[in-house]
Amino acid sequence: MSTDTQAPAADQPDADETPEQKPSFMRLFGRYLTEANSVMVTIYSLLLAFFIGGILLIVSDEYVRSTYTYFFARPQDALSASWYLVRDSYIALFEGAILNLSTLERYSAGTAEFGDLLRPLSETLTYATPLIFTGLAVGLAFRAGLFNIGAQGQMIFGMLGALIVGFALDLPPVLHLPLAVIAGALAGAAFGAVPGVLKATTGAHEVISSIMLNNIAALFLVWAIGTEFLHSETKSDLITKPVDESAVMPKLLSSLGESLRVNWALIIGVAAAVFTWWLLSRSTFGFRIRAVGFNEHASATAGMRIGSTYTTTMAVAGGLAGLAGAALSLGVGSSGVTTNTALEYGFDGITVALLGRANPGGIVAAALLFGALKAGALSAQPDVPVDISTLLQAIIVLFIAAPALVKAILHLRTPRGGLVTLEAKGW
Amino acid sequence: MAVDTMTASPALVDETAPVRYAKAGGVLAALGLLLLVIAFAVIDGGATTTISFDRTLTDVEWALPTTACVAVFGAITAAAGAWMLVGLPKRRFKLVSGIAVAAFVLGLLFWAYSQPGTVFRAESILAGALFLSLPYLFGALSGVVCERSGVINIGIEGQFLMGAFTGVLVANITGNVYAGMVGAMVAGLLSTMLLALLATKYQVNQVVVGVILNLLALGFTSFMYDQLKKAEGLNSAFTVPTLSWGPLADIPVLGPVLFQQKIFVYIGLVLVFVVWFLLYRTRWGLRTRAVGEHPAAADSMGVNVNRLRYWNVTLAGLISGFGGAWFTIANSLAFSKNMTAGLGFVALAVMIVGRWNPLGVLAGALIFGFTTQVARDLDAAGGALVPGEFLQMLPYAVTLVVVAGLIGKAKAPAADGVPYHPGDK
Amino acid sequence: MRLELKGLTKKFGSFTADDDIDLVVEPGQIHAVLGENGAGKSTLMNMLYGILTPTSGEILIDGEPVAFGGPGDAIAAGIGMVHQHFKLVGPFSVADNVQLGREHATAGVLSAKAARKAVLDVSEEYGLKLDPDAICEDLPVGVQQRVEIVKALSGPKTQLLILDEPTAVLTPAEITELLQIMRNLAAAGTSILFISHKLKEVQAVADTITVIRRGKVVAELEPTASEAEMASAMVGRAVTLQVDKSPAEPGEARLEVQDLTVVSDAGVKVVDGLGLTVRSGEIVGLAGVEGNGQTELARSILGLIKPDSGTIAIDGKDVHGTSPAARIHDGLGYIPEDRGRDGVISEFSVAENLVLNQYRNAPFSKRGAVNASAVRKQAADSIAEFDIRTQSPDEPVSSLSGGNAQKVIIAREFSRPRRFLVAAQPTRGVDVGATEFIHSRLVAERDTGTGVLLISSELDEIYALADRIAVIYNGRIVGEVAPDTPREVIGRLMVGADIAPVQEPAPVEDDAGESSTDEPSAAADDAAANDEEANGGDR
């Protein structure tokens, strides 16, 4: 990324004018709330996004719009229709993602299992799992100053790699599953390394090349599913063979209910986040990644090899995205991969990484949030348009990327040390 | 570039002295030899490549011997490569490399169209190529205006989506397809205005914001598409008529290509020259280029850098928004989710190929349009050598090659993507 | 024009860059503002030119107070400025650069003819020869500056010219010419504000001298004031430019460069058959105008550039094909000329920067991880030994002053075994105190037996430190002379006046070579011996 702190504008005289007494806790807290520090910017970004999302829900709903045609005659109609629409939409999202209130009633009445109650959370975790991987894939590259938009393509190749090992080899479970996962990571790494190699050798901007590779990967997937080698022997639509039972990710909560889809990939995801954290902040390789990300000239002068840093970082990032693919083809897609299995987890990884500010911990949190959005949106459709999750994500990260905008809209104060922004390089 | 870093004494370069181009020459020679091998070893000796003039001279069909033609093109490519290896005058390099690449492409084309059942319908394909070059053209021209001002517009894809969606929506509401086009332009303008604001006033990283704006446009248009689907008649296809220029339209090849097209084609072609004139011949253009190369210099001469950038980027949205209308209105299609399929990014590659110059952009867009059209045509004809998906990959693959091959050499405006704070050195 | 500044003050947050500056420039006068780097000169000029807004105080032109909203207002008020960093758009023609902001256009369409004529008019009026169609980035620096001057004079009614450090990148001959141009302009009635930290030039040309230090006016001097007087006013205490050092005891060769050639991307030979030897225990000063191949030479020694031909041997070992990391590991120290770009990572902490080129070696690396305690100990040691002023080792380097950031680099390079050191512009943008410290460390380094290549565009620095002086011009060493060689001789070498004509058409404009022949040839050195002959052949 290079998280960069923009120095506070020089002509900002809003430094403390009151003499330094011991300010009370409440005052400090109040000051914190009105300051554009990264925690508050995150919170305000979320609130603003949901506010804007609400407005868009209102203006795009035909019935509510019709109540506005006679707004001046009976404003309460329009206002209550708007309120109920927004409230119901967001409640639907909540119920799909966290806790379904009617299930809770049935559970208290004894007509529902505990597992049913957990279903929304399980869905949230299921959708969050690939996002952790793709978020890490984007975030790690960001720290080296690379904007990896190619997670989608890397994930697709990871998916295919894991799938092939998953059904073509005949191995005991202890070997088969790990091997399939590794195959996914390697396939993703190989594909991810391409933009890195291109940048290192020719200077081609990774944003353009990884977008092109995404498109190529998507078309390749369509072709690959149709090939005799991969295509399902039993079904006629575009779906692949299922992976062997020995390579399927075990479900985590199957004892509580078969519908709880969350599986071991989540654990691998958290482990990957811990690994990425260690890599970035403790390892010598991470030292090099961060150095190159901040200033490649000084890094080169210090003897670091820039090109190989780009290539290796992109390969590791691709490997992480490949794990997302493995999580899909060995998890929710284990009964057969379609063109739809990958959804847009790769692109969502961009928003996850931006919201998580390219820190592994933040990425896990962001993945959970966006996983919840996705689970909620998918369960709430068609009453709520499913793309509300994409829309809200984009608005949130727009504000995250432009803290100055949040600051201006809400008249926040500049924090000490300036605003935290995200950087990527131009041509 | 900031002049203060340059060498004190650049040597003069002799334009006529032969220079060796080892890399380019080697590649071209190898490609030429490859064509020769294909001609004699792969292509069936009796195969013919058929060229027809399907719109004007419907009874004419040329059947040419494939092997001989491919061999000739291969020889030309190889000879050009060899000349570069030996050394040729610097000023000849562009011409020779152009001829070599064209010969190589023609060789491939002759091979591809030698499959039984495929006919190179020259007029349809060339006319289609011009039409298909338009999204690249509009996107790249918008990019040129932005990047010449020093702002990277990676959000062209999003502006396309906004234009495509709004164009159809406004056309449906007003019942007027031309109002739809204006609507598309306004939608593009509003999208770039956000980019302009963030890039100039808030000095946000332009690549990051551009990517986010794409996601925002994708989310917004998909969301609205689902919402409006519930209401009838807001997303029906609208068509613009094809203009036929009377007798001019009957000239072989030229007629169908140039005088029997939709208004989008003419607007695109005129726009190329308008943008070129504005950039290189007017006060606005001089200032715009100065702001993109060396904003501090422009600032020191009283040019308000960020205001000029803001308005240029905002107005560039009119072009990319109009380019969005191409996807729906020009193609007589209703809007569908993510229908731009990454072409906004390909347009950026076209801009780089065109070296940030409107005339170069036209050439680049035509090449990409031609590639896309041929891929589609071969795919539709069936008998292609490779699966359809691989043909569809062609524009993306070409972009990859172009960006990798050119970017170090094509010089972007020096201040491209660098926010300007007044008072900077 | 009479310009008066009354109590002009500029604050950046809590930092006061200029504090209550009073100053008067009389019509037709050359008024020099003298001050060290960072004394507040550039801030002052930027206020005058409308780039910055004063916090308080006022600017009066011919007695009338003015307020500038931007450079456009200053230009309209008759002020022209030649910036320290040229404000020329490289790919533009001279005419386009001059007309930018006040274009010759009808209905927005440019008239190339009118623009060309305007340049020719001004250049004729003031005797500043220029080709309006030349592309600026192709011009030698001296000519670029002429474009800047013509640009500044082309304002609707320019009567005051601000020259901000105009001589920094010029050759001695070009400087002489510039000073003459200034005198001519003043004689024609233009007021000139001349910003500089070079005493000799100020003395040569100024009518009045104002000295500022730490944003305040500390002295008003006459040009008759002695150099010592000016220097002490500038830095606030008596300074010794001379560094105490014993005679060098050169040993075996630590750097041997033979026939080195580097061709730039543009196809220009920036280093052209260069040969140079530096021995252990000596400092070789590489003098030359910037942009004559010094940067490329230094980067080739480190291995950042692959030379097109020739050999480099460090410590007796041909380093062909080895990586910068290997060379650093084998004892190459490197102080890059552009500190912010190449020397430090400003977002990294002081501690991290101190191990930037050693983080992979023991003890800083342990099984793939960075050994934090070793890094911390190293930082504590270096901060103490090199007197790096920082609040803590964890502060980012961006919070340090230029001098302290430079000390971080020096500490890093001096904290590991080294055999040979490249020090490029080691005291650029560094205050006097830190300069003294760095100079003494370089000499101490030499005394331990390291070979030192000192690359500097400041002749004073070369004289203060070097045991032997090599002069670089157009990518070649055009002379190796003793440290007591007079300035004039080195100055002539720096512009290539004393070398045999080169085979290819010499690209430098005629002005450089011509005017340098006017200088007295004072030396009896062997470099000067073939003086007459070489000049005769030159042109």
Side-chain angles (χ1 to χ4, degrees):
Chain A
M1 111 172 101
S2 14
T3 32
D4 206 27
T5 46
Q6 273 179 8
D11 49 357
Q12 213 113 41
D14 62 2
D16 316 14
E17 271 152 34
T18 45
E20 280 295 330
Q21 301 161 349
K22 271 222 170 139
S24 68
F25 171 76
M26 282 315 287
R27 246 193 89 167
L28 276 178
F29 188 61
R31 180 177 288 259
Y32 190 79
L33 290 184
T34 56
E35 192 180 83
N37 55 58
S38 38
V39 173
M40 292 318 297
V41 165
T42 308
I43 293 172
Y44 288 132
S45 298
L46 293 173
L47 293 177
L48 281 171
F50 279 97
F51 178 75
I52 296 172
I55 291 175
L56 287 172
L57 277 169
I58 293 168
V59 299
S60 65
D61 189 277
E62 203 186 9
Y63 167 71
V64 178
R65 234 181 316 143
S66 71
T67 61
Y68 276 85
T69 53
Y70 56 92
F71 182 79
F72 290 103
R74 290 183 54 190
Q76 65 272 32
D77 271 18
L79 293 178
S80 72
S82 303
W83 163 248
Y84 284 114
L85 173 73
V86 174
R87 193 197 67 169
D88 292 348
S89 301
Y90 285 154
I91 286 181
L93 290 185
F94 177 82
E95 292 200 321
I98 314 243
L99 184 64
N100 191 313
L101 300 174
S102 57
T103 319
L104 184 64
E105 271 169 34
R106 286 195 290 122
Y107 176 67
S108 347
T111 54
E113 299 285 315
F114 181 60
D116 297 337
L117 211 52
L118 289 181
R119 191 159 186 279
L121 273 179
S122 157
E123 286 301 286
T124 290
L125 293 174
T126 304
Y127 288 115
T129 302
L131 292 180
I132 294 176
F133 291 112
T134 55
L136 291 171
V138 179
L140 177 77
F142 235 140
R143 299 294 285 268
L146 296 165
F147 199 4
N148 174 22
I149 325 198
Q152 185 78 17
Q154 294 147 16
M155 176 176 65
I156 286 174
F157 273 82
M159 203 163 76
L160 289 174
L163 173 75
I164 291 170
V165 172
F167 78 73
L169 297 186
D170 202 9
L171 293 164
V174 269
L175 275 181
H176 204 178
L177 179 60
L179 219 59
V181 170
I182 290 169
L186 288 180
F191 200 65
V194 176
V197 171
L198 287 178
K199 187 181 179 88
T201 54
T202 70
H205 199 279
E206 72 278 5
V207 166
I208 301 257
S209 46
S210 46
I211 283 277
M212 293 305 125
L213 289 169
N214 280 342
N215 287 315
I216 289 173
L219 288 165
F220 184 83
L221 177 69
V222 176
W223 171 80
I225 294 177
T227 57
E228 207 179 315
F229 176 56
L230 286 183
H231 193 266
S232 163
E233 283 151 345
T234 51
K235 296 177 191 153
S236 60
D237 51 340
L238 263 186
I239 188 164
T240 65
K241 294 171 181 146
V243 294
D244 294 351
E245 201 53 48
S246 52
V248 174
M249 290 271 179
K251 287 179 183 167
L252 280 173
L253 303 173
S254 51
S255 56
L256 292 170
E258 264 314 300
S259 69
L260 301 179
R261 299 195 294 166
V262 60
N263 60 40
W264 266 88
L266 176 68
I267 308 296
I268 303 178
V270 174
V274 174
F275 168 75
T276 309
W277 169 83
W278 177 85
L279 194 71
L280 277 173
S281 54
R282 290 289 180 269
S283 74
T284 51
F285 178 54
F287 187 92
R288 178 150 63 105
I289 289 181
R290 289 182 292 124
V292 170
F294 281 128
N295 182 344
E296 57 178 290
H297 303 294
S299 305
T301 307
M304 300 177 195
R305 288 200 310 264
I306 308 302
S308 89
T309 306
Y310 284 151
T311 308
T312 336
T313 308
M314 281 303 292
V316 175
L320 287 164
L323 286 176
L328 290 171
S329 55
L330 307 175
V332 293
S334 57
S335 53
V337 166
T338 70
T339 53
N340 221 2
T341 308
L343 290 178
E344 295 194 323
Y345 289 119
F347 295 112
D348 294 337
I350 301 168
T351 53
V352 169
L354 290 172
L355 177 60
R357 291 199 171 78
N359 287 315
I363 285 170
V364 172
L368 289 174
L369 176 70
F370 287 163
L373 265 181
K374 199 157 215 130
L378 283 167
S379 90
Q381 67 173 337
D383 300 333
V384 183
V386 66
D387 286 293
I388 192 161
S389 65
T390 322
L391 182 63
L392 288 175
Q393 280 181 40
I395 301 174
I396 292 169
V397 295
L398 181 66
F399 286 125
I400 296 284
L405 197 59
V406 180
K407 181 176 167 275
I409 293 173
L410 298 175
H411 298 285
L412 303 178
R413 288 174 303 107
T414 312
R416 195 175 298 230
L419 301 171
V420 177
T421 58
L422 298 148
E423 298 287 330
K425 293 190 178 78
W427 306 135
Chain B
M1 81 183 253
V3 179
D4 51 17
T5 57
M6 46 158 287
T7 50
S9 46
L12 302 170
V13 180
D14 188 357
E15 290 278 298
T16 52
V19 186
R20 289 183 57 190
Y21 295 90
K23 251 193 218 167
V27 170
L28 285 176
L31 290 177
L33 292 176
L34 180 71
L35 270 190
L36 285 169
V37 171
I38 290 172
F40 294 110
V42 181
I43 297 171
D44 177 34
T48 55
T49 300
T50 314
I51 299 175
S52 77
F53 300 87
D54 56 314
R55 298 251 200 105
T56 52
L57 308 166
T58 41
D59 48 347
V60 178
E61 261 195 14
W62 295 345
L64 304 169
T66 311
T67 303
C69 292
V70 173
V72 168
F73 290 126
I76 293 175
T77 313
W83 193 8
M84 287 183 190
L85 284 175
V86 177
L88 82 171
K90 196 174 166 136
R91 61 197 163 88
R92 294 251 182 270
F93 176 74
K94 267 190 192 171
L95 183 70
V96 171
S97 53
I99 289 174
V101 171
F104 178 71
V105 171
L106 279 173
L108 286 184
L109 267 183
F110 268 73
W111 178 32
Y113 278 95
S114 69
Q115 297 300 106
T118 55
V119 174
F120 188 79
R121 295 168 298 123
E123 294 177 335
S124 288
I125 287 179
L126 290 178
L130 180 57
F131 185 68
L132 284 182
S133 70
L134 290 177
Y136 308 125
L137 187 65
F138 288 117
L141 281 178
S142 170
V144 165
V145 173
C146 292
E147 302 214 351
R148 279 290 185 173
S149 328
V151 177
I152 291 182
N153 181 3
I154 227 162
I156 291 170
E157 177 82 359
Q159 293 140 31
F160 275 174
L161 276 174
M162 294 295 287
F165 172 78
T166 315
V168 168
L169 181 67
V170 173
N172 274 288
I173 292 172
T174 59
N176 183 330
V177 69
Y178 298 100
M181 292 184 199
V182 174
M185 291 166 71
V186 173
L189 176 128
L190 292 175
S191 318
T192 46
M193 194 179 266
L194 191 53
L195 171 67
L197 186 75
L198 291 167
T200 57
K201 179 150 190 231
Y202 296 116
Q203 313 245 319
V204 167
N205 185 281
Q206 296 159 10
V207 175
V208 173
V209 161
V211 169
I212 294 173
L213 288 179
N214 286 331
L215 292 173
L216 187 60
L218 179 63
F220 178 79
T221 52
S222 305
F223 172 84
M224 288 310 237
Y225 169 80
D226 276 347
Q227 281 291 72
L228 298 183
K229 229 172 21 186
K230 297 173 190 163
E232 279 299 304
L234 285 179
N235 190 18
S236 307
F238 266 73
T239 308
V240 278
T242 300
L243 304 176
S244 189
W245 296 48
L248 286 176
D250 296 330
I251 306 171
V253 185
L254 275 187
V257 174
L258 282 180
F259 301 109
Q260 240 182 299
Q261 292 273 22
K262 290 180 176 167
I263 189 167
F264 282 81
V265 170
Y266 304 110
I267 290 178
L269 292 176
V270 169
L271 202 58
V272 168
F273 294 98
V274 168
V275 174
W276 178 85
F277 182 82
L278 288 175
L279 265 181
Y280 292 101
R281 289 290 181 270
T282 67
R283 178 198 327 246
W284 170 83
L286 187 76
R287 293 184 173 192
T288 294
R289 286 181 291 131
V291 156
E293 283 291 339
H294 195 340
D299 188 13
S300 76
M301 297 310 288
V303 177
N304 187 328
V305 173
N306 281 326
R307 189 165 65 196
L308 186 62
R309 284 184 172 179
Y310 176 85
W311 283 110
N312 284 357
V313 173
T314 301
L315 292 177
L318 291 174
I319 305 176
S320 33
F322 188 76
W326 179 88
F327 289 88
T328 48
I329 293 173
N331 279 293
S332 315
L333 290 173
F335 180 80
S336 57
K337 286 185 189 182
N338 200 13
M339 71 187 307
T340 51
L343 293 199
F345 292 98
V346 180
L348 274 176
V350 169
M351 174 193 72
I352 293 166
V353 177
R355 313 210 160 192
W356 291 268
N357 179 324
L359 301 180
V361 160
L362 176 61
L366 288 174
I367 295 169
F368 275 79
F370 185 70
T371 314
T372 316
Q373 173 67 35
V374 167
R376 282 193 187 182
D377 190 61
L378 285 172
D379 195 15
L385 300 162
V386 287
E389 285 84 13
F390 286 78
L391 284 171
Q392 289 170 40
M393 285 179 199
L394 214 53
Y396 308 123
V398 172
T399 302
L400 207 54
V401 171
V402 158
V403 172
L406 267 184
I407 195 130
K409 291 154 208 152
K411 211 169 97 190
D416 204 3
V418 186
Y420 181 68
H421 320 258
D424 275 6
K425 279 179 186 154
Chain C
M1 179 196 283
R2 184 177 191 273
L3 173 81
E4 186 173 0
L5 309 183
K6 271 191 187 166
L8 211 59
T9 301
K10 178 71 191 177
K11 290 185 178 171
F12 297 104
S14 59
F15 171 68
T16 307
D18 280 316
D19 189 4
D20 199 18
I21 302 270
D22 294 323
L23 194 152
V24 179
V25 186
E26 301 291 349
Q29 192 192 49
I30 300 181
H31 190 127
V33 175
L34 192 62
E36 271 202 285
N37 287 320
K41 293 171 296 179
S42 287
T43 308
L44 185 64
M45 295 312 123
N46 284 338
M47 284 192 281
L48 260 177
Y49 197 59
I51 294 173
L52 294 172
T53 321
T55 313
S56 64
E58 54 182 358
I59 302 168
L60 298 105
I61 289 178
D62 293 331
E64 296 291 313
V66 289
F68 298 145
D73 295 347
I75 294 168
I79 297 178
M81 180 155 174
V82 175
H83 300 263
Q84 181 180 1
H85 302 270
F86 293 164
K87 310 268 182 180
L88 294 176
V89 182
F92 277 17
S93 70
V94 170
D96 281 348
N97 263 302
V98 172
Q99 71 166 330
L100 181 62
R102 39 168 186 254
E103 294 81 0
H104 301 272
T106 34
V109 178
L110 298 174
S111 160
K113 215 172 124 192
R116 208 173 288 134
K117 184 173 176 299
V119 173
L120 291 175
D121 285 353
V122 176
S123 67
E124 220 155 275
E125 185 182 345
Y126 296 97
L128 299 160
K129 233 170 64 190
L130 276 181
D131 171 11
D133 294 322
I135 299 301
C136 281
E137 62 191 5
D138 296 342
L139 296 173
V141 183
V143 181
Q144 285 185 12
Q145 186 163 57
R146 217 179 298 158
V147 179
E148 282 283 26
I149 296 173
V150 167
K151 205 169 100 179
L153 291 171
S154 297
K157 47 167 192 178
T158 306
Q159 289 177 334
L160 174 80
L161 201 57
I162 305 172
L163 297 162
D164 187 5
E165 301 278 5
T167 59
V169 288
L170 299 189
T171 63
E174 284 170 333
I175 292 172
T176 315
E177 193 191 329
L178 174 70
L179 298 182
Q180 191 53 48
I181 291 173
M182 287 166 65
R183 286 189 203 102
N184 295 349
L185 288 172
T190 310
S191 315
I192 294 179
L193 201 49
F194 175 42
I195 320 297
S196 183
H197 66 266
K198 297 192 178 171
L199 310 178
K200 289 201 174 63
E201 291 156 14
V202 168
Q203 230 174 7
V205 79
D207 296 316
T208 313
I209 302 166
T210 298
V211 185
I212 60 175
R213 185 170 78 232
R214 292 190 182 169
K216 288 194 173 116
V217 174
V218 291
E220 296 274 354
L221 299 171
E222 293 296 310
T224 49
S226 73
E227 252 187 72
E229 213 175 326
M230 287 195 263
S232 63
M234 210 164 97
V235 299
R237 65 190 162 97
V239 274
T240 48
L241 271 178
Q242 210 56 47
V243 181
D244 291 329
K245 59 179 177 114
S246 52
E249 290 164 13
E252 82 281 5
R254 288 286 169 84
L255 172 78
E256 279 179 289
V257 178
Q258 274 173 6
D259 209 18
L260 187 75
T261 298
V262 177
V263 181
S264 75
D265 292 342
V268 180
K269 280 187 183 172
V270 281
V271 176
D272 187 4
L274 183 142
L276 183 67
T277 301
V278 180
R279 300 181 176 284
S280 78
E282 72 168 348
I283 298 178
V284 172
L286 188 66
V289 177
E290 271 184 74
N292 271 293
Q294 297 97 319
T295 308
E296 290 78 7
L297 170 65
R299 292 169 76 84
S300 306
I301 294 173
L302 181 59
L304 288 175
I305 298 182
K306 278 204 189 84
D308 292 81
S309 67
T311 57
I312 298 171
I314 298 173
D315 206 14
K317 218 171 71 184
D318 186 350
V319 290
H320 178 78
T322 60
S323 67
R327 299 183 197 188
I328 290 168
H329 186 261
D330 288 347
L332 171 64
Y334 189 82
I335 300 170
E337 60 175 73
D338 190 336
R339 175 169 60 242
R341 180 179 183 269
D342 298 322
V344 290
I345 295 178
S346 53
E347 294 89 346
F348 265 23
S349 70
V350 171
E352 286 173 311
N353 270 294
L354 282 167
V355 296
L356 202 59
N357 53 21
Q358 297 157 77
Y359 71 101
R360 282 171 93 171
N361 308 335
F364 306 116
S365 153
K366 228 162 64 182
R367 273 176 259 113
V370 176
N371 181 351
S373 63
V375 172
R376 220 174 300 123
K377 181 174 177 308
Q378 169 83 351
D381 293 351
S382 296
I383 288 171
E385 186 186 347
F386 290 85
D387 187 28
I388 300 167
R389 310 272 168 87
T390 175
Q391 287 183 350
S392 103
D394 302 323
E395 287 287 304
V397 162
S398 57
S399 70
L400 266 54
S401 72
N404 281 302
Q406 188 74 351
K407 283 186 195 166
V408 170
I409 299 173
I410 306 239
R412 176 174 76 213
E413 299 307 306
F414 283 10
S415 65
R416 59 196 169 80
R418 62 231 165 257
R419 311 281 291 166
F420 177 69
L421 175 73
V422 177
Q425 320 289 359
T427 58
R428 173 168 290 174
V430 163
D431 60 74
V432 176
T435 300
E436 280 179 16
F437 178 81
I438 292 168
H439 281 176
S440 64
R441 290 300 305 220
L442 287 173
V443 171
E445 182 62 17
R446 176 202 75 167
D447 293 341
T448 65
T450 308
V452 179
L453 177 64
L454 168 73
I455 300 174
S456 178
S457 55
E458 301 279 340
L459 262 185
D460 290 334
E461 184 163 71
I462 301 262
Y463 275 117
L465 294 176
D467 302 311
R468 195 149 59 84
I469 300 174
V471 184
I472 189 169
Y473 169 74
N474 248 356
R476 301 167 167 219
I477 302 296
V478 292
E480 284 193 24
V481 297
D484 53 357
T485 309
R487 253 168 207 272
E488 291 73 15
V489 177
I490 293 182
R492 294 162 72 85
L493 287 166
M494 278 165 63
V495 298
D498 291 344
I499 46 168
V502 262
Q503 297 88 324
E504 56 201 81
V508 169
E509 283 260 337
D510 45 11
D511 51 343
E514 254 169 34
S515 39
S516 68
T517 47
D518 301 332
E519 288 183 14
S521 74
D525 199 278
D526 58 342
N530 55 7
D531 196 64
E532 293 303 323
E533 187 191 328
N535 271 325
D538 196 18
R539 245 161 243 256

